[in-house]
């Protein structure tokens, strides 16, 4: 009898362990390359390394603690430096994320990405993912070979956030350096430091302390499952270019855009999206050619105002790169400037 009781107790313990493992959330890690997968010849080299050298499985294996947080599966989407990210790749990524999140056995997504264009890709998914399940981007400012590589901890914390039930319906998030940021507002603010990602005006959604997410706020803008945008059946995205405003900015840049039949232009104006006389002539020619124009600001912060004087749609608080992402996405549905202006205020 004593032996049977011990056997029953042992089986109960084993079953409890198995049950707890089964109940761990299922998180998919989608890798796209970047510094987090980068490598350099020496462990003190934090510049001039090669991005996108390591596979997704190598990244996962480097953080064995992940298995205590979630059931992890990896998938390599691409393995590139994010300066080479394209609209075709982000469209493929969005469609794959939607496909995975539609599965009952997938509880969240973590995407590893290069830092240079992470804010663009994450914002595109914020507009086009049709789920309230967590989608979390992470990255690194130092390659995997560096003494103080930040990638492993960032990956651990990104999975921790994606696995947390409180992370649902917060929009696409960016997790680096112990901070949880909104893809709508967060951007890279420094060329090399590990605390580069910030939303300077709006702040972070929360922080990670002692391995636990602490959420402090939410984003009021429309995102993810409530978004009107659906890219599931698209084969390509519209072409939108960015033209930077400065003293002596030339009109002929607009002639090139018109000749190449772009769908939209984001003009990076001075101050409150101000337009020089030379660019005004170019913008008016572009508008006459049916090209949709959005005015952003090169200042880095603030809301670009709607204007009866300046041509084009106001970018609201989006930086030029994110304004391009929203205009590109909006043009999949409409060319009506009034409706697109509302998109810029609401998304």
């Amino acid at each position: 009898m004593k032996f049977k009781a011990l056997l029953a107790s042992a089986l109960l313990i084993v079953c409890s362990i198995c049950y707890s493992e089964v109940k761990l959330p299922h998180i998919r890690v989608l890798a796209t390359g970047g510094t987090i997968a980068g490598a350099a010849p020496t462990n003190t080299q934090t510049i001039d390394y090669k991005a996108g050298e390591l596979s997704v499985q190598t990244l996962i294996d480097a953080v064995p603690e992940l298995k205590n947080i979630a059931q992890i599966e990896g998938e390599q989407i691409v393995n590139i430096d994010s300066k080479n990210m394209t609209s075709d790749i982000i469209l493929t990524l969005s469609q794959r994320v939607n496909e995975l999140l539609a599965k009952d056995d997938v509880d969240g997504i973590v995407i590893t990405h290069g830092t240079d264009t992470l804010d663009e890709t994450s914002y595109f998914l914020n507009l086009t993912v049709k789920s309230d399940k967590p989608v979390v981007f992470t990255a690194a400012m130092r390659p995997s070979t560096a003494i103080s590589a930040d990638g492993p901890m960032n990956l651990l914390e990104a999975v921790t956030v994606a696995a947390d039930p409180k992370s649902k319906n917060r929009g696409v998030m960016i997790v680096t350096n112990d901070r949880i940021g909104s893809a709508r507002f967060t951007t890279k603010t420094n060329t090399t430091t590990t605390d580069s990602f910030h939303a300077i005006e709006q702040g972070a959604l929360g922080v990670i302390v002692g391995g636990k997410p602490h959420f402090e706020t939410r984003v009021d803008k429309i995102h993810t499952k409530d978004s009107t945008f659906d890219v599931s059946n698209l084969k390509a995205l519209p072409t939108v270019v960015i033209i930077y405003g400065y003293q002596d900015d030339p009109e002929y840049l607009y002639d090139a855009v018109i000749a190449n039949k772009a769908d939209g232009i984001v003009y990076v104006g001075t101050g409150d999206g101000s337009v020089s006389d030379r660019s005004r002539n170019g913008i008016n020619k572009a508008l006459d050619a049916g090209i949709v124009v959005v005015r952003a600001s090169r200042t880095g912060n603030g809301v670009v105002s709607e204007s009866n004087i300046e041509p084009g749609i106001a970018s609201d608080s989006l930086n030029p790169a994110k304004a391009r992402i929203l205009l590109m996405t909006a043009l999949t549905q409409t060319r009506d400037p009034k409706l697109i202006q509302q998109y810029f205020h609401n998304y």
Side-chain angles (χ1 to χ4, degrees):
M1 290 294 293
K2 188 175 181 180
F3 173 77
K4 288 183 178 180
L6 288 171
L7 181 60
S9 178
L11 288 172
L12 182 61
I13 291 170
V14 170
C15 288
S16 296
I17 292 171
C18 293
Y19 180 74
S20 65
E21 288 177 349
V22 169
K23 293 297 288 182
L24 284 175
H26 183 193
I27 304 298
R28 286 288 189 104
V29 177
L30 306 185
T32 67
T35 299
I36 194 170
T42 70
N43 62 6
T44 57
Q45 191 169 335
T46 58
I47 61 170
D48 295 332
Y49 50 83
K50 185 166 183 182
E53 286 287 278
L54 307 183
S55 70
V56 62
Q57 195 57 51
T58 301
L59 296 180
I60 292 169
D61 291 343
V63 191
E65 294 81 4
L66 290 172
K67 68 179 182 296
N68 301 322
I69 299 167
Q71 300 175 72
I72 302 291
E73 286 187 67
E75 183 175 333
Q76 196 81 46
I77 303 297
V78 290
N79 207 355
I80 60 173
D81 190 316
S82 73
K83 67 188 179 188
N84 296 318
M85 193 62 67
T86 67
S87 58
D88 288 340
I89 296 171
I90 67 173
L91 179 59
T92 297
L93 178 62
S94 176
Q95 290 170 342
R96 181 57 177 154
V97 168
N98 277 316
E99 181 182 3
L100 289 171
L101 292 180
K103 298 176 181 291
D104 292 336
D105 64 343
V106 175
D107 298 299
I109 301 286
V110 168
I111 299 167
T112 62
H113 197 287
T115 60
D116 284 355
T117 63
L118 183 151
D119 60 342
E120 296 173 65
T121 305
S122 61
Y123 183 51
F124 180 68
L125 266 64
N126 195 61
L127 297 172
T128 58
V129 166
K130 313 302 282 186
S131 173
D132 65 356
K133 295 178 184 178
V135 177
V136 180
F137 277 73
T138 195
M141 292 295 293
R142 292 174 180 169
S144 64
T145 47
I147 292 173
S148 54
D150 50 329
M153 180 59 81
N154 285 344
L155 179 58
L156 179 66
E157 292 188 336
V159 171
T160 300
V161 171
D164 194 305
K166 297 191 297 294
S167 296
K168 291 186 69 173
N169 200 29
R170 291 183 183 271
V172 174
M173 292 172 282
I174 297 170
V175 171
T176 60
N177 204 49
D178 301 337
R179 291 187 180 90
I180 308 167
S182 162
R184 170 59 173 78
F185 295 110
T186 304
T187 193
K188 188 175 182 178
T189 65
N190 191 283
T191 55
T192 57
T193 60
T194 55
D195 65 341
S196 179
F197 281 88
H198 294 278
I200 294 175
E201 294 283 350
Q202 299 82 11
L205 294 177
V207 294
I208 300 159
V209 180
K212 294 183 179 180
H214 295 258
F215 287 101
E216 307 295 342
T217 188
R218 285 185 178 272
V219 171
D220 216 18
K221 301 287 188 180
I222 300 171
H223 58 73
T224 54
K225 69 180 180 62
D226 296 322
S227 172
T228 191
F229 305 116
D230 184 355
V231 299
S232 57
N233 296 315
L234 289 183
K235 302 298 183 185
L237 292 166
T239 301
V240 176
V241 302
I242 297 175
I243 296 179
Y244 196 89
Y246 55 94
Q247 295 176 355
D248 299 324
D249 53 353
E251 184 180 330
Y252 62 75
L253 294 176
Y254 299 89
D255 297 331
V257 173
I258 294 167
N260 283 278
K261 296 180 170 56
D263 299 292
I265 294 172
V266 173
Y267 175 72
V268 187
T270 54
D272 189 13
S274 300
V275 181
S276 69
D277 289 342
R278 294 167 300 282
S279 279
R280 187 184 310 278
N281 292 336
I283 287 173
N284 286 332
K285 287 196 293 185
L287 291 170
D288 289 342
I291 297 172
V292 179
V293 178
V294 169
R295 291 181 299 108
S297 174
R298 70 184 201 181
T299 61
N301 278 295
V303 174
V304 174
S305 311
E306 288 188 63
S307 174
N308 295 321
I309 300 172
E310 305 287 22
I313 295 161
S315 67
D316 197 272
S317 59
L318 288 172
N319 68 28
K322 291 188 183 186
R324 174 183 170 271
I325 291 293
L326 179 52
L327 179 56
M328 192 166 59
T329 308
L331 288 171
T332 65
Q333 290 206 342
T334 183
R335 301 184 75 86
D336 180 352
K338 291 184 178 179
L339 181 54
I340 294 174
Q341 182 65 80
Q342 288 307 306
Y343 288 157
F344 272 86
H345 290 321
N346 295 335
Y347 287 84

